[in-house]
Amino acid sequence: MELSRLRPHLLYEFKSDHDLVKAIEELSLKFTKERSQISDYLNDPRLVSAYTAFYLTTNIPKLEAAFKWLPELFLADLKKSSLIDLGAGPGTYSLAFKEWGGEGEIIQVEKSRLMREQGLKIWRGLYGEGKLHQTDTVIKSISGEKFLLFGHSANEMGAFETMRFIERIDPDHILFIEPGTKDFFPEMLQIRQALLSQKFNILFPCPNSTDCPMKNSETDWCHQFVNVSHGADVERLSQMAKKDRKLLPLIVHAYSKKSYGKNPSERLVRVLPETKFSFDWEVCAENKLERYQIMKRPYSNPEQKVLRQVLSGASLETELEKEVEHLKRVKLISLHK
């Protein structure tokens, strides 16, 4: 989403990019050092507009990046479903879903009046009236399949409140795109267990529904990285604000009441330091953590360059060559980034 396309529909008109950057810096301070006052910005059209200009534009690519990990048949069902964007903010993931090609009605659930006003102004500016409904708490009756999306909202609600919403809405499909932090991971595991007990199928990231091998770890947590690209004006704004918004950590989980076949049995969860002779990865293989070693010798320089760009979240298929002490030396059969 280019900033130039969004800017005419902000609630507040910034006189210059420098004024916008100043507002982004104020927001950043609230998000880090002044967290007791973090909700104050929701009452200020200037800061809501700054949030929209910077975080909406840089978060929007996360949805399509996450979709690349998910089954094609699942995505086909999502495209036709009604989206319930819970904790929608200014409509970041509603816009991402629409831009991706979502065909169903879109319901934005957002408590902040200013965020709803900002989301509505953008929607009408870009799409006219369209299939949009906004609410602060109540979900209206929806026909057809329901796709519930938590975009940076489950981490704010916690596991208990998240499950209350899920039980109330009774969706067919659920997608979480949450900050890739260690603090939220235990909450995500609680949500995972609750959904599996309610007969949802997990589609990502786990190979199957057995216990997570990291559930009792104090240091490890399962998260992914996406490397996203932005329009030139968004990239310029990121540089002015001195914030790298290309390589983004996140926790993605996908569930459905439907089954879409067998999940990939091997998922990369951590890229370990590269050695002179090998690439070393930590992999969740059938819900067991394994250390894989891929020797460099069989791969050309261009192929090694591709392997250096692989991020956690990728699925792979391997063939065991040799077990060496605490690791498995494997040959790559296929790789899906």
Side-chain angles (χ1 to χ4, degrees), residues 68 109-110 128 141 150 171 177 278 296 306 316:
K68 291 179 181 178
V109 185
E110 173 55 50
S141 166
F150 292 86
I177 300 178
S278 68
K296 292 180 178 178
V306 170
L316 52 150

Side-chain angles (χ1 to χ4, degrees), residues 8-246:
H9 312 300
L10 297 177
L11 292 177
Y12 179 89
E13 184 177 352
F14 293 95
K15 294 179 180 178
S16 67
D17 284 347
H18 289 286
D19 287 341
L20 174 53
V21 168
K22 184 178 178 182
I24 293 168
E25 289 171 347
E26 288 178 40
L27 271 176
S28 182
L29 189 63
K30 289 183 180 295
F31 291 163
T32 53
K33 297 182 180 179
E34 298 176 0
R35 291 197 64 82
S36 61
Q37 305 169 26
I38 193 169
S39 62
D40 291 357
Y41 84 95
L42 295 172
N43 301 314
D44 185 340
R46 174 174 163 271
L47 294 183
V48 165
S49 297
Y51 176 93
T52 302
F54 186 65
Y55 290 101
L56 182 151
T57 54
T58 56
N59 279 334
I60 256 186
K62 288 182 181 178
L63 184 70
E64 193 163 355
F67 278 174
K68 291 179 181 178
W69 290 320
L70 303 178
E72 289 294 330
L73 291 176
F74 177 61
L75 296 179
D77 281 342
L78 293 190
K79 184 168 286 193
K80 296 177 290 185
S81 300
S82 292
L83 170 67
I84 302 164
D85 187 356
L86 191 57
T92 302
Y93 292 105
S94 300
L95 296 177
F97 184 68
K98 175 72 173 177
E99 294 285 307
W100 172 72
E103 299 168 359
E105 184 178 10
I106 292 177
I107 300 95
Q108 294 178 353
V109 185
E110 173 55 50
K111 289 185 176 180
S112 166
R113 177 185 59 82
L114 274 183
M115 281 292 189
R116 291 198 306 274
E117 287 182 11
Q118 179 63 94
L120 186 59
K121 186 174 182 181
I122 292 170
W123 187 272
R124 287 179 174 170
L126 296 182
Y127 312 119
E129 292 300 320
K131 300 177 180 178
L132 178 69
H133 175 78
Q134 290 185 320
T135 178
D136 55 355
T137 55
V138 179
I139 306 296
K140 69 170 191 172
S141 166
I142 302 168
S143 60
E145 294 188 358
K146 292 176 285 189
F147 167 32
L148 177 57
L149 192 150
F150 292 86
H152 292 231
S153 54
N155 73 298
E156 295 180 3
M157 292 188 289
F160 180 75
E161 285 298 321
T162 294
M163 287 308 304
R164 282 187 63 187
F165 270 101
I166 291 171
E167 289 161 8
R168 189 160 135 201
I169 294 167
D170 189 27
D172 300 279
H173 316 290
I174 308 173
L175 179 65
F176 296 87
I177 300 178
E178 298 291 336
T181 63
K182 184 170 72 171
D183 290 343
F184 177 64
F185 183 59
E187 298 276 345
M188 191 68 248
L189 286 186
Q190 290 181 45
I191 295 167
R192 176 188 186 270
Q193 186 59 40
L195 289 174
L196 293 176
S197 71
Q198 294 183 13
K199 309 303 181 186
F200 275 90
N201 299 297
I202 186 162
L203 309 180
F204 183 90
C206 308
N208 55 54
S209 60
T210 57
D211 281 350
C212 174
M214 296 187 190
K215 71 173 186 177
N216 296 319
S217 175
E218 296 182 359
T219 56
D220 285 345
W221 72 103
C222 179
H223 60 295
Q224 297 80 42
F225 281 91
V226 292
N227 203 337
V228 297
S229 58
H230 305 296
D233 53 1
V234 175
E235 188 55 40
R236 178 175 178 273
L237 183 64
S238 299
Q239 291 171 358
M240 290 178 67
K242 296 181 173 61
K243 293 182 181 297
D244 181 4
R245 298 288 292 173
K246 288 183 177 179

